[in-house]
Amino acid sequence: MTQRKTTSLTVVYHDPSYGYMIVPYAVEQNMGCRIAIDPTITLLPGTSDEELGATIKKGIKIAANASEVDIEKDNLNEFWKKTKYKGFCSFSNHFQSVNVTQYENQLRIEKWIATPRKGYVKDDSQKTIEISAMLTNIELGRIIRKFVNCKTEND
């Protein structure tokens, strides 16, 4: 029997006028899919690379320590409702998505794009980055900012 690596998923959603939403995910116990869990951490536009990276690491820690959830019994995180968009379809048309998956001591960072069916799929035109999870907060913040093509005031 093959031993499965432990993974955690945290997604960074970004809209230039709203800022960032850092959303940890847990595994749904019956279907095995990923489900958004609380808390959603929001950061305003203009957030520093240091704060962005530190907040993403906080989301990773929450996701890594999350128990499995039951979609029928647990209150699910409908994070998009914290914006002006009441449905995930509308939300996905306005927010970019970057998946940060932790595999042991590595991070896999992938850009996802909205689809006509109103969800996200991996952006194959953007190169996936695999990097040590030991990178600094500033390094992680800069990588994410490049994925969403967002400049800071210092750029």
Side-chain angles (χ1 to χ4, degrees), residues 105-151:
N105 292 322
Q106 291 287 113
L107 296 180
R108 176 181 292 150
I109 303 171
E110 301 172 311
K111 174 124 183 219
W112 287 58
I113 54 175
T115 69
R117 293 208 167 143
K118 313 299 186 220
Y120 292 98
V121 295
K122 185 181 175 315
D123 182 356
D124 291 328
S125 71
Q126 189 102 12
K127 185 179 179 210
T128 297
I129 294 177
E130 292 200 20
I131 194 164
S132 168
M134 304 308 287
L135 76 168
T136 68
N137 294 342
I138 291 173
E139 291 169 323
L140 180 56
R142 284 184 183 151
I143 290 169
I144 298 301
R145 200 176 303 280
K146 285 179 185 175
F147 267 85
V148 297
N149 299 315
C150 181
K151 296 185 183 309

Side-chain angles (χ1 to χ4, degrees), residues 38-128:
D38 285 322
T40 294
I41 306 166
T42 56
L43 297 172
L44 297 174
T47 295
S48 71
D49 291 336
E50 170 74 31
E51 185 177 4
L52 177 58
T55 305
I56 293 167
K57 286 183 177 182
K58 182 177 178 181
I60 291 169
K61 187 174 183 178
I62 292 166
N65 292 314
S67 301
E68 288 187 345
V69 295
D70 184 338
I71 198 167
E72 294 181 13
K73 295 179 183 172
D74 295 321
N75 290 327
L76 301 179
N77 181 355
E78 295 178 324
F79 57 88
W80 58 90
K81 290 184 177 178
K82 295 175 181 165
T83 68
K84 64 182 178 181
Y85 306 105
K86 299 306 170 203
F88 188 74
C89 297
S90 296
F91 173 87
S92 66
N93 284 327
H94 298 277
F95 279 75
Q96 296 181 65
S97 174
V98 179
N99 284 12
V100 181
T101 308
Q102 182 170 7
Y103 296 89
E104 296 175 353
N105 292 322
Q106 291 287 113
L107 296 180
R108 176 181 292 150
I109 303 171
E110 301 172 311
K111 174 124 183 219
W112 287 58
I113 54 175
T115 69
R117 293 208 167 143
K118 313 299 186 220
Y120 292 98
V121 295
K122 185 181 175 315
D123 182 356
D124 291 328
S125 71
Q126 189 102 12
K127 185 179 179 210
T128 297

